[in-house]
Amino acid sequence: MPALTLCLLWALAAVAQPAPVAPMGGLEPAQHEELTLLFHGALQLGQALNGVYKSTEARLTEAGQSLGLYGQALGLLGLQVSQGRDAAQELRTSLLEIQLEEDDLQLQAEATAQVLSEVAQAQRVLRDSVQRLEAQLQGAWLGQARQEFEALKSYFLWALTGHVQRQRQEMAAQQHWLRRIQERLHTAALPA
């Protein structure tokens, strides 16, 4: 900025060259006064321009800082949006895994129910066969064979009853697990 002031002073000095010499009566003191006024005006103009320059420079610096802050804020917002997208993707993946687990457990529960139905049917058939055999043996006394038959009958009934109870326990455990998965699905599906 001082170079600009010097240039202005030089330009003013060139314009304010003394006029051709007048007759001796002396305009010289007036010219000197005009030149002083001109220099004083140029100095004031330079100071005013310097003030405008510094004010503009301060405003530009402030605007640059504001832009930097806005850039940082936009960067943070972009990061938060990216993190939100990642969280949403993880939630979708988790929900899909839970749905697949639920489907698997549903298939297992259906298979267990089918096995229980078949075991119950086999138990009915066996009970009917045992009752027919008992009816046939009622009339005949076979001693040892009858005792063995009764022991065998008791063993089969005990084994079938135990098998049915285990199947029911497994089915109850699977149903409990299925309810937990459904609760997790319900909880995960609720908006945050």
Side-chain angles (χ1 to χ4, degrees):
M1 190 65 187
L4 180 64
T5 305
L6 288 176
C7 286
L8 282 173
L9 287 176
W10 182 78
L12 287 174
V15 171
Q17 289 180 354
V21 177
M24 293 243 182
L27 286 176
E28 210 169 292
Q31 287 179 350
H32 182 13
E33 192 175 303
E34 287 175 4
L35 192 58
T36 302
L37 282 175
L38 256 162
F39 277 130
H40 183 65
L43 184 61
Q44 284 181 340
L45 177 64
Q47 287 173 345
L49 286 175
N50 191 24
V52 168
Y53 172 78
K54 286 183 179 179
S55 166
T56 304
E57 184 178 40
R59 286 182 185 167
L60 286 174
T61 301
E62 186 178 313
Q65 289 172 348
S66 293
L67 282 175
L69 290 175
Y70 290 138
Q72 288 176 352
L74 283 175
L76 288 174
L77 281 174
L79 181 63
Q80 288 177 350
V81 166
S82 176
Q83 289 172 345
R85 284 185 186 139
D86 292 345
Q89 182 59 40
E90 287 176 20
L91 182 60
R92 280 192 287 274
T93 302
S94 179
L95 285 173
L96 181 61
E97 289 172 358
I98 290 172
Q99 184 66 46
L100 290 174
E101 283 180 31
E102 181 186 16
D103 292 346
D104 275 351
L105 280 177
Q106 186 68 35
L107 289 174
Q108 287 178 5
E110 289 172 3
T112 302
Q114 179 66 30
V115 167
L116 280 176
S117 175
E118 290 172 3
V119 166
Q121 178 65 27
Q123 190 177 17
R124 282 191 297 274
V125 168
L126 182 61
R127 190 178 313 125
D128 292 344
S129 295
V130 167
Q131 287 173 353
R132 277 194 311 274
L133 284 174
E134 277 182 340
Q136 289 174 0
L137 289 176
Q138 282 293 349
W141 178 254
L142 298 178
Q144 183 67 24
R146 182 168 176 90
Q147 289 176 353
E148 288 178 16
F149 175 74
E150 288 295 329
L152 186 60
K153 177 177 90 170
S154 296
Y155 174 75
F156 278 130
L157 287 175
W158 175 79
L160 280 173
T161 303
H163 184 67
V164 168
Q165 285 176 344
R166 280 192 304 278
Q167 291 292 326
R168 284 186 179 148
Q169 288 171 348
E170 287 178 20
M171 189 165 182
Q174 288 175 353
Q175 287 174 343
H176 175 71
W177 182 250
L178 185 60
R179 278 193 301 275
R180 286 185 48 209
I181 288 177
Q182 288 172 340
E183 288 171 2
R184 284 178 37 204
L185 271 175
H186 179 70
T187 303
L190 290 177

